Amino acid sequence: MSVLIETTEGDIVIDLFFKERPNCCRNFLKLCRIKYYNLCQIFTVEENYIFQTGDPTNTGRGGESIFGVLYGDQARYFEIERVPKIRHLKKGLISFVNNGSDQIGSQFFITLADDLDYLDNKHCVFGQVAEGFDTLDNINSQTCDEENRPFRDIRISHTIILDDPFEDPPRLPIPSRSPSPKLDLVQATNKIALDEKIDEDEGKTAEEIKKELEEKEMKAQAEILTMIGDLHDADEAPPDNILFVCKLNPVTTSEDLEIIFSRFGEIVECEVIKDRRTGASLQYAFIEFEKPQQCEAAYLKMDNVLIDDRRIHVDFSQSVAKNYTWKKQNRDTDKFLSMRKRRFRAWVKDKKQRHSEKRKLWL
């Protein structure tokens, strides 16, 4: 007598000991028949020991036998079967969980190692895995928290009865189709979803990983600069119409560069950066074009070009200082205009007051 258990980690075929454990096998088969185990989580995985499931509440404290389904809470559990004695001596044995009162309901576990004889006389073995040991290995290798709960959302997706020697009892609520997942199950946020990867770098090349790390580092640095006020926004991008030119000859002037680069379009501003104290060229410059297309054309044509016996290097500007300079000028201008307005108003008020005092003297 067999049952196929389809899980999100693979399929398992269970052969049942229906002669040695008739009540347990009847309970398991009829629960499978009414799709009771569908969507149940494998909520406990202890490496090289067991994995446990069979609780629709996924807490380890729920579940009921088929007799509880048929006859109510008074039949939620039934007596454990101990004769003949079947020991937990090999990997792949399926056993009903003892609720602490020598009674069993719906929860069961499957052994993941041999010689677990300390489980004997506590729980009830009623079958063994016939196929699907690779699935057991997949479940056994799952990463879990301190309470042995797997981080990945592993579930029984379906159960199929391959052979059932027991007749269905009257009033057995056999569904017409498998149950659909509820909204709270779909929106569960405390587990890694089936299509998510535990290792984010899985399947990526070394170059892709390096690029992602660089992007994360740049983003972190931008966040820090935003916090200390050096950036307006972490996503702030440099202007796309400004060209950076370096490796210049110290004798090259802003006027020289403007004449040379003006063939690509109208230049708004061209400035060779100089030392504030000495006025000497620092041998790099910024050239602002009217349009980004003109800047791109200059970038493609002018890199490694010889100017004043020096081969220059051209790249797009990565500086956002232009944005800050412009905004600072606006703030300074606004502050200056505001000050002038206050002074003018004070002057007008003073004039009015003096004129009023003079009128009083004349009268």
Side-chain angles (χ1 to χ4, degrees):
M1 308 303 110
S2 303
V3 174
L4 170 63
I5 301 176
E6 297 178 354
T7 76
T8 53
E9 290 294 320
D11 298 343
I12 303 171
V13 175
I14 304 293
D15 283 346
L16 301 177
F17 304 148
F18 73 100
K19 291 183 179 179
E20 294 85 353
R21 298 286 187 265
N23 287 338
C24 289
C25 292
R26 181 183 290 106
N27 178 55
F28 184 72
L29 285 167
K30 299 314 171 186
L31 288 175
C32 292
R33 179 85 165 136
I34 65 174
K35 310 300 180 186
Y36 188 86
Y37 291 123
N38 285 32
L39 305 177
C40 282
Q41 257 184 9
I42 295 177
F43 55 84
T44 297
V45 177
E46 298 186 51
E47 188 176 5
N48 298 325
Y49 183 44
I50 63 166
F51 76 79
Q52 187 171 334
T53 183
D55 176 10
T57 67
N58 302 317
T59 62
R61 298 184 295 273
E64 59 182 341
S65 70
I66 190 64
F67 309 109
V69 174
L70 292 172
Y71 309 118
D73 287 342
Q74 70 274 11
R76 181 179 180 182
Y77 302 106
F78 64 95
E79 291 293 329
I80 196 170
E81 295 177 293
R82 297 193 181 278
V83 180
K85 184 176 182 179
I86 304 176
R87 304 183 65 188
H88 298 80
L89 293 179
K90 63 180 181 179
K91 177 181 178 180
L93 290 174
I94 182 170
S95 185
F96 272 123
V97 177
N98 188 332
N99 70 350
S101 303
D102 288 339
Q103 293 184 322
I104 52 182
S106 63
Q107 292 188 45
F108 64 88
F109 62 82
I110 295 179
T111 58
L112 299 174
D114 298 332
D115 299 322
L116 302 179
D117 51 356
Y118 41 86
L119 296 174
D120 297 343
N121 300 320
K122 297 178 182 177
H123 308 286
C124 185
V125 179
F126 65 96
Q128 64 183 359
V129 173
E131 299 177 26
F133 283 92
D134 54 339
T135 302
L136 298 189
D137 293 336
N138 290 342
I139 296 173
N140 189 42
S141 63
Q142 293 298 312
T143 306
C144 302
D145 62 15
E146 296 177 352
E147 296 179 350
N148 298 312
R149 292 183 173 274
F151 290 113
R152 187 179 290 281
D153 190 9
I154 311 172
R155 294 181 182 269
I156 295 175
S157 53
H158 200 55
T159 54
I160 300 173
I161 299 174
L162 303 178
D163 190 9
D164 183 1
F166 304 104
E167 293 185 2
D168 293 337
R171 299 182 298 170
L172 187 69
I174 302 173
S176 59
R177 57 185 294 275
S178 296
S180 300
K182 297 180 181 178
L183 186 62
D184 58 345
L185 186 150
V186 176
Q187 294 180 337
T189 56
N190 60 341
K191 295 285 184 180
I192 299 174
L194 301 178
D195 55 349
E196 288 184 289
K197 295 180 179 179
I198 295 179
D199 184 3
E200 295 181 355
D201 299 332
E202 185 180 348
K204 297 178 182 177
T205 63
E207 292 182 359
E208 291 174 337
I209 294 172
K210 183 179 178 182
K211 186 176 180 181
E212 285 188 3
L213 289 174
E214 289 175 351
E215 289 176 353
K216 288 179 180 178
E217 186 176 356
M218 289 173 61
K219 188 173 182 180
Q221 292 174 353
E223 291 287 351
I224 293 172
L225 291 174
T226 304
M227 291 169 64
I228 63 178
D230 283 359
L231 280 180
H232 297 136
D233 184 11
D235 297 325
E236 186 173 17
D240 55 0
N241 64 330
I242 297 180
L243 208 61
F244 171 71
V245 184
C246 63
K247 298 184 179 180
L248 293 172
N249 192 312
V251 302
T252 304
T253 64
S254 301
E255 292 75 16
D256 296 334
L257 289 179
E258 187 169 357
I259 292 171
I260 294 169
F261 280 85
S262 60
R263 67 189 182 94
F264 298 102
E266 185 176 346
I267 294 177
V268 177
E269 185 179 355
C270 177
E271 181 183 5
V272 173
I273 307 302
K274 297 180 180 180
D275 187 280
R276 290 182 179 180
R277 291 181 297 175
T278 64
S281 171
L282 296 178
Q283 301 176 36
Y284 68 93
F286 292 97
I287 304 173
E288 182 178 359
F289 288 89
E290 186 179 14
K291 298 178 181 178
Q293 295 84 351
Q294 299 165 348
C295 183
E296 185 176 355
Y299 166 74
L300 295 173
K301 294 289 185 179
M302 294 302 292
D303 190 35
N304 207 34
V305 168
L306 194 68
I307 296 179
D308 292 332
D309 296 328
R310 291 285 183 91
R311 293 214 174 265
I312 66 170
H313 175 65
V314 177
D315 201 351
F316 293 103
S317 173
Q318 300 300 314
S319 172
V320 294
K322 188 76 176 176
N323 301 341
Y324 280 74
T325 304
W326 179 78
K327 290 184 180 294
K328 187 176 185 300
Q329 286 174 350
N330 275 355
R331 288 198 296 270
D332 291 345
T333 304
D334 293 344
K335 185 177 179 181
F336 176 71
L337 291 175
S338 178
M339 187 182 298
R340 290 194 63 180
K341 285 180 180 178
R342 288 198 300 270
R343 288 178 178 176
F344 177 73
R345 288 171 182 168
W347 179 79
V348 171
K349 184 177 180 181
D350 184 58
K351 284 289 185 183
K352 287 182 176 180
Q353 188 174 357
R354 289 184 181 182
H355 182 67
S356 176
E357 289 175 356
K358 286 181 180 181
R359 287 190 63 186
K360 288 179 180 179
L361 291 174
W362 292 339
L363 296 174

